[in-house]
Amino acid sequence: MDITKKVWEILLTEEEINNRITQLGKQLSDEYRDEKLLVVSLLKGSFIFTADLVRKMDIPVKIEFMTTSSYGHSEASSGQVKILTDVGDDLSGYHVLVADDITDSGLTMKYVMAHLSKKNPESVKCCVLLDKPDRRVVDLVPDYHGFTIPDKFVVGYGLNYGDYFRNIPYVFVVTDKDR
Ligand code: IMP
Ligand code: MG
């Protein structure tokens, strides 16, 4: 990766992200106030989003993590979803909210939600920071989302590029200089 051949543009600032997550946290707290809520965070991409989101919620929250196979170093999905780390088999009594950084093709979220539905939960919904609807290949509309974004490769705030940049506190778009 030669980063000097790329153009980096800020898409969402720290303040915009923080304001939107504050709203989402309030909305989700109201939605799940009387329920037993389990947030399932999809590693690695959603670790920052989940950490910020649950701290904007004023209700008791149980948190688990799952790891699914990812894009690796490529910018396009292989279309294959594999669960590398799972949560327990019995989710009875829990309302499950799957948290992820972005829904792109929708394959990951669709697969994970179907997988978790088999564990006998009360409900399964999802919340993603970024929704890229132009890239969808399955019928999935996130139950909650922070921002709808164009069909661009985005990095930062948990999203990686070549295994790096997850720690950048805002979201930016990376494009080739000659594109
Ligand atoms: P999907 O299965 O195609 O919806 O994509 C799922 C995963 O691909 C996301 O959870 C991200 O980890 C990764 N991904 C999708 N689009 C981007 C992007 O623009 N930048 C970085 N990672 C992405
Ligand atoms: Mg991911």
Side-chain angles (χ1 to χ4, degrees):
M1 171 184 38
D2 182 355
I3 60 169
T4 62
K5 292 196 174 127
K6 302 280 179 182
V7 181
W8 312 75
E9 291 164 292
I10 293 184
L11 183 68
L12 299 167
T13 64
E14 279 186 80
E15 195 186 358
E16 287 171 313
I17 296 168
N18 185 52
N19 290 345
R20 183 67 187 116
I21 290 179
T22 302
Q23 290 173 343
L24 278 175
K26 282 203 185 92
Q27 191 184 350
L28 290 165
S29 300
D30 291 342
E31 176 81 28
Y32 289 102
R33 193 162 305 279
D34 302 317
E35 318 287 4
K36 259 171 82 180
L37 174 62
L38 171 66
V39 171
V40 175
S41 175
L42 302 189
L43 296 175
K44 302 171 191 170
S46 78
F47 79 115
I48 290 176
F49 174 51
T50 306
D52 284 349
L53 181 67
V54 296
R55 285 181 295 167
K56 297 294 183 190
M57 296 173 69
D58 62 358
I59 56 170
V61 182
K62 193 173 161 180
I63 303 166
E64 298 278 357
F65 297 91
M66 279 177 74
T67 313
T68 58
S69 56
S70 75
Y71 284 45
H73 291 218
S74 124
E75 290 187 10
S77 171
S78 61
Q80 301 279 333
V81 181
K82 208 169 128 193
I83 291 170
L84 305 178
T85 314
D86 201 353
V87 300
D89 281 339
D90 183 14
L91 299 180
S92 50
Y94 286 99
H95 289 266
V96 174
L97 182 70
V98 185
D100 205 2
D101 48 0
I102 187 166
T103 303
D104 189 45
S105 70
L107 285 163
T108 306
M109 189 54 85
K110 183 113 187 166
Y111 188 88
V112 167
M113 289 175 82
H115 173 82
L116 293 174
S117 297
K118 292 183 199 144
K119 297 175 187 277
N120 199 32
E122 294 294 317
S123 69
V124 180
K125 287 190 178 181
C126 68
C127 179
V128 298
L129 179 69
L130 308 174
D131 185 17
K132 223 195 261 182
D134 295 346
R135 300 253 308 171
R136 206 60 37 83
V137 301
V138 290
D139 64 331
L140 180 105
V141 179
D143 298 287
Y144 303 91
H145 72 283
F147 302 90
T148 301
I149 63 162
D151 181 8
K152 299 263 172 71
F153 193 75
V154 289
V155 182
Y157 198 80
L159 294 131
N160 67 308
Y161 180 51
D163 271 343
Y164 286 89
F165 309 112
R166 292 190 197 273
N167 58 316
I168 305 285
Y170 47 85
V171 174
F172 58 97
V173 171
V174 188
T175 40
D176 288 333
K177 266 186 180 159
D178 46 13
R179 206 178 266 179

